[in-house]
Amino acid sequence: MTASGTETIGQLSAESLEITAEYRQARSRLWNVSIGVLYLYLSGILTDISEDISEALLIYVTCFSTFVVLIYVHTRLRPGIVPARRLIAMLGDFCSLTFVMLVGETLGLPLYVFIVWVTLGNGMRFGQRYLVIASVMAQLSLITLFLLSDYWRQQPYLLVTFSMVALVLPAYARVLLGQTAQARDEALVAMQAKSRFLAHASHDLRQPIHSIGYYLSLLRTSRSAADREKLIVRIERALGSVSRLFKSLLDIARLDSGTIDVNREAVALHPLLSDLVQQNEQVAQWHDVKMRYVRTSVSVSADPTLLSTMVQNLLSNAIKYARGSEVVLGVRRKGGVVAIEVHDAGIGIDAAHIPHIFDEFYRAHVEGDRDSEGVGLGLAIVNRLAQLSGFTLSIRSRRGKGTTAGIYEIPVNFEKRKPEQASMHDTAKPLAGYRVILIEDNPDVLDATCALLEHWGCAVQPHPTIPAHVEPADLIIADYDLGDRTLGTSAILAIREKLGSILPAILMTGHADAVVSKKGVDEGMQILAKPVQPAMLRSILSTFRAASRNRSL
């Protein structure tokens, strides 16, 4: 569904609600008249007053009841929004109530409830404009009572009280109506955004899944090793698109849950940035993008996980829109703060899109441009993480000239830095001999993960559930749900107890972090949301190994 279609549906829904509200107001007026007539009879206003006034009241009751029935019939025969009908009905309500209170005097006091009822009823059903009109009519009704009746002139405090009630309650209702209208508008905007997301996501999911099906069919019949390798690369590329889409959704879900904490520490930028460049090299090749990284020796104070996510999203965004050109990642230092900038020579962004590029599910797409993957969450995620971390995000772009996206106001860390952790480029086989205990109940995932770790040189102990016996190891990788009501956290704690050592651990899960964090996760466990890119997993394992080596020095 398109955004315009959603907006049209929203407008139609609002209009149908108003039509229904007008019918309900007319029906409510029938009940009010019935209750009012019953009160007039029981209170004696119709029977215990002079014959002339009693006759006038009977004429009034007959005429007003007919008027109310006609309004009701008119709403049934001609449904829709008719402002004149609303105003005439409101005027009839207030005139009739004023007349009865004028005649009834003390016995007419309870009918003031109907004045408040009519005022709020019209406002709540038809909106703030009618609430204001009804409030003015209520005040005119009280002024009329004061001018035409000696009884009411002798009750100034009572009239003032009625006047204040008729002002304060509608004023408060007006505030509530404003908040309701704002919430409705926000809900409509959110619905439009979700509709755009569904449209983009369905497209971005269908495309790679569609191609994977064809590639797999070709792979079964391909006999050439070179052809099989090409097909495998293309399948990997399609799966990468799906993986990045789900990662964006998981990131925005974590932000919406409000469970992300900022844990600042000294972060050496070179290992972090060089690993990100390495992780994106394959994607850059697929998009025919040349990546260049300007090495830096600066250390900053930041949450390394959040900073890595921010830069990764900027790099991914730049690569998508810089097809056939160059992307440069670099650092600028000015005094006590640092800026991390990503420059690309891609298609750029039209000025009209710049104010909206940080909105969720928004994509700065121009008709005729090449389709690009993604659902418009990358910059929204970076912006929210930057605000959470106390940084600023800025985008400069010109259509056809490229884009510069940067994270600014990152404080420099002036403390003596620890030795830099080894990056992915430091050794040819950074994981050779690294001992890993792998626990995964899904046999296919267990087999694939084990084969990947062994390909990197790890010594793997694979288990489908909590093992009865384990060999000494350097790291534990566990799935969160292991079946039979067994959690990965329990498996990690059990293995640590068997080995008598607090081994670092990676907990892989398809749940949101907010769910997992309540289930016994400690500081020695790092949570990774599935699907996990192989490059990211390898980078994290290398970081764990480098950290353990630094501790042993």
Side-chain angles (χ1 to χ4, degrees):
M1 182 185 295
T2 63
S4 60
T6 305
E7 186 175 356
T8 302
I9 290 174
Q11 292 171 347
L12 290 174
S13 299
E15 185 173 340
S16 63
L17 286 174
E18 282 208 60
I19 293 172
T20 304
E22 189 152 350
Y23 165 71
R24 288 178 177 174
Q25 183 75 356
R27 188 178 60 184
S28 172
R29 190 176 290 107
L30 285 174
W31 284 104
N32 290 347
V33 168
S34 301
I35 295 171
V37 171
L38 181 63
Y39 173 75
L40 291 177
Y41 177 79
L42 294 177
S43 65
I45 295 178
L46 282 175
T47 57
D48 296 342
I49 57 180
S50 66
E51 184 176 340
D52 292 341
I53 296 178
S54 178
E55 183 178 345
L57 274 174
L58 286 173
I59 294 173
Y60 150 76
V61 169
T62 302
C63 291
F64 186 65
S65 298
T66 304
F67 169 78
V68 169
V69 171
L70 289 174
I71 291 291
Y72 175 77
V73 171
H74 195 266
T75 58
R76 297 290 291 176
L77 296 178
R78 191 183 169 189
I81 301 172
V82 184
R85 182 173 62 201
R86 292 180 180 180
L87 293 174
I88 292 171
M90 289 168 59
L91 186 61
D93 290 339
F94 283 107
C95 287
S96 64
L97 289 169
T98 303
F99 175 72
V100 176
M101 291 181 69
L102 193 65
V103 173
E105 297 182 343
T106 303
L107 294 177
L109 286 175
L111 294 177
Y112 176 72
V113 172
F114 288 98
I115 288 183
V116 177
W117 190 342
V118 170
T119 304
L120 295 179
N122 283 282
M124 289 297 188
R125 285 196 169 100
F126 304 140
Q128 296 189 30
R129 181 174 58 179
Y130 289 95
L131 180 63
V132 172
I133 294 172
S135 299
V136 172
M137 287 186 177
Q139 296 301 315
L140 291 174
S141 176
L142 295 174
I143 292 172
T144 302
L145 290 175
F146 179 79
L147 294 175
L148 300 181
S149 171
D150 291 335
Y151 169 80
W152 287 103
R153 279 196 293 271
Q154 294 170 5
Q155 310 289 338
Y157 293 107
L158 186 60
L159 270 179
V160 170
T161 301
F162 282 177
S163 178
M164 291 177 63
V165 170
L167 285 173
V168 172
L169 286 181
Y172 181 59
R174 190 170 186 270
V175 172
L176 295 180
L177 283 173
Q179 294 176 348
T180 303
Q182 181 181 356
R184 182 195 61 207
D185 293 342
E186 290 175 353
L188 181 59
V189 170
M191 183 169 64
Q192 292 171 357
K194 295 299 187 293
S195 296
R196 288 197 301 269
F197 155 69
L198 289 174
H200 295 324
S202 62
H203 172 271
D204 292 333
L205 281 173
R206 278 198 301 263
Q207 293 287 81
I209 292 173
H210 177 77
S211 61
I212 287 171
Y214 286 167
Y215 290 149
L216 288 175
S217 178
L218 291 171
L219 190 61
R220 290 191 184 96
T221 58
S222 178
R223 298 185 179 183
S224 166
D227 289 341
R228 286 197 297 271
E229 182 63 28
K230 288 180 181 178
L231 290 170
I232 290 170
V233 169
R234 289 171 180 171
I235 291 172
E236 183 182 10
R237 178 178 178 177
L239 288 173
S241 297
V242 177
S243 177
R244 284 188 291 276
L245 172 61
F246 279 115
K247 185 180 184 304
S248 293
L249 296 177
L250 290 169
D251 285 342
I252 208 72
R254 290 177 63 210
L255 285 165
D256 286 340
S257 68
T259 58
I260 295 181
D261 296 322
V262 180
N263 301 309
R264 291 181 177 82
E265 60 183 73
V267 180
L269 288 181
H270 171 64
L272 184 146
L273 299 180
S274 61
D275 281 353
L276 287 174
V277 170
Q278 191 277 335
Q279 292 173 30
N280 285 276
E281 280 180 349
Q282 183 62 68
V283 179
Q285 290 178 16
W286 289 336
H287 287 78
D288 191 25
V289 170
K290 179 183 178 182
M291 287 192 65
R292 187 160 60 89
Y293 162 57
V294 181
R295 186 185 177 107
T296 181
S297 60
V298 176
S299 178
V300 298
S301 177
D303 185 310
T305 302
L306 300 187
L307 185 60
S308 177
T309 299
M310 286 185 271
V311 179
Q312 168 59 39
N313 277 296
L314 291 184
L315 279 174
S316 177
N317 213 55
I319 291 170
K320 281 192 301 184
Y321 294 103
R323 187 183 298 269
S325 59
E326 184 180 46
V327 170
V328 180
L329 172 64
V331 175
R332 295 180 185 273
R333 177 174 175 177
K334 184 177 181 180
V337 294
V338 161
I340 301 175
E341 294 182 335
V342 178
H343 305 266
D344 72 70
I347 60 176
I349 305 171
D350 281 343
H353 292 294
I354 295 293
H356 307 289
I357 56 177
F358 298 143
D359 296 344
E360 293 177 10
F361 310 116
Y362 186 87
R363 295 202 302 186
H365 179 76
V366 175
E367 188 174 358
D369 281 349
R370 181 195 299 267
D371 280 344
S372 59
E373 66 179 42
V375 292
L377 285 175
L379 291 178
I381 291 169
V382 178
N383 189 42
R384 291 174 64 176
L385 288 178
Q387 292 176 355
L388 192 65
S389 303
F391 310 149
T392 58
L393 174 65
S394 178
I395 304 288
R396 303 188 305 275
S397 183
R398 288 181 61 191
R399 181 70 180 175
K401 300 294 184 181
T403 302
T404 297
I407 307 166
Y408 298 89
E409 305 298 326
I410 308 172
V412 174
N413 179 64
F414 292 103
E415 298 178 4
K416 186 176 181 180
R417 292 188 286 112
K418 298 177 181 179
E420 292 186 356
Q421 298 175 349
S423 77
M424 289 293 297
H425 303 289
D426 292 340
T427 59
K429 290 186 177 181
L431 298 176
Y434 196 48
R435 300 170 298 176
V436 177
I437 298 174
L438 175 63
I439 308 171
E440 169 62 67
D441 64 317
N442 186 295
D444 292 333
V445 177
L446 179 67
D447 181 65
T449 309
C450 181
L452 185 64
L453 293 172
E454 289 177 343
H455 177 71
W456 293 337
C458 296
V460 186
Q461 302 176 45
H463 301 280
T465 186
I466 300 177
H469 175 74
V470 290
E471 298 293 331
D474 302 303
L475 179 78
I476 305 168
I477 299 178
D479 184 35
Y480 180 69
D481 289 310
L482 295 174
D484 297 327
R485 298 185 178 181
T486 303
L487 297 178
T489 49
S490 302
I492 292 169
L493 294 175
I495 292 171
R496 285 175 174 177
E497 185 175 357
K498 291 177 186 295
L499 296 178
S501 175
I502 308 299
L503 292 181
I506 295 174
L507 196 62
M508 293 191 180
T509 175
H511 296 292
D513 288 358
V515 177
V516 177
S517 60
K518 299 176 183 178
K519 303 292 184 178
V521 177
D522 57 39
E523 293 181 357
M525 303 180 193
Q526 179 165 344
I527 302 171
L528 292 182
K530 294 180 179 178
V532 181
Q533 288 283 4
M536 177 181 289
L537 179 61
R538 185 176 179 182
S539 176
I540 291 172
L541 293 178
S542 299
T543 301
F544 271 120
R545 187 174 200 185
S548 64
R549 285 176 172 175
N550 290 337
R551 284 194 297 269
S552 64
L553 294 177

